[in-house]
């Protein structure tokens, strides 16, 4: 698995934010937004993404919040749907590596156009996936 490791600043907040996909609270405006991503160089793709994406991370005493903004001028073109496999749909994937190494990581994925979401924990670089792993998490999208 090719993973691009990126350490990001987490903006500490005093109280929870609403998980509604809008990202209009003042704390999101003052967060450290990460942007200007490049594709990992493979035979299939390289260079810049067609659509700009940015994200920021907030945390209060109990919850980690990840806000993602994906620029898509024609949301009607997004692939997805209730019966579509998440891995074939347009989606956002997030890998959290709390140790700073890809040896152990948490993997989250969600599609903005369906209710499908996925979460897993992997160890030994993905060779071990202990079950069950069922975190409490939610996602919201706004267009």
């Amino acid at each position: 698995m090719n993973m691009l490791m990126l350490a990001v600043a987490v903006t500490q907040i005093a109280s929870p934010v609403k998980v509604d996909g809008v990202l209009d609270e003042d704390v999101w405006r003052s967060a450290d937004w990460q942007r200007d991503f490049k594709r990992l160089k493979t035979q299939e793709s390289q260079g810049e993404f067609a659509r700009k994406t940015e994200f920021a991370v907030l945390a209060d005493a109990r919850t980690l919040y990840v806000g993602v903004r994906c620029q898509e001028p024609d949301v009607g073109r997004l692939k997805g749907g209730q019966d579509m496999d998440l891995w074939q749909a347009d989606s956002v994937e997030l890998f959290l590596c709390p140790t700073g190494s890809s040896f152990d990581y948490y993997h989250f994925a969600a599609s903005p156009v369906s209710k499908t979401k996925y979460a897993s924990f992997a160890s030994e670089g993905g060779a071990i996936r202990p079950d069950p792993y069922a975190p409490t998490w939610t996602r919201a999208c706004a267009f």
Side-chain angles (χ1 to χ4, degrees), residues 52-129:
K52 297 293 182 190
T53 300
E54 61 183 3
F55 76 94
V57 182
L58 306 175
D60 62 26
R62 298 185 43 120
T63 306
L64 182 73
Y65 303 90
V66 179
V68 180
R69 293 181 182 143
C70 303
Q71 293 181 8
E72 175 53 64
D74 187 2
V75 294
R77 292 184 54 200
L78 293 174
K79 294 184 296 183
Q82 291 302 101
D83 298 325
M84 181 175 256
D85 182 288
L86 179 62
W87 311 117
Q88 301 300 315
D90 286 310
S91 61
V92 172
E93 289 184 77
L94 173 67
F95 292 85
L96 300 175
C97 306
T99 64
S101 164
S102 60
F103 188 79
D104 295 316
Y105 61 88
Y106 297 88
H107 180 192
F108 297 88
S111 169
V113 291
S114 77
K115 297 201 184 310
T116 306
K117 64 182 190 174
Y118 169 85
S120 73
F121 170 75
S123 187
E124 295 190 14
I128 296 175
R129 295 181 186 273

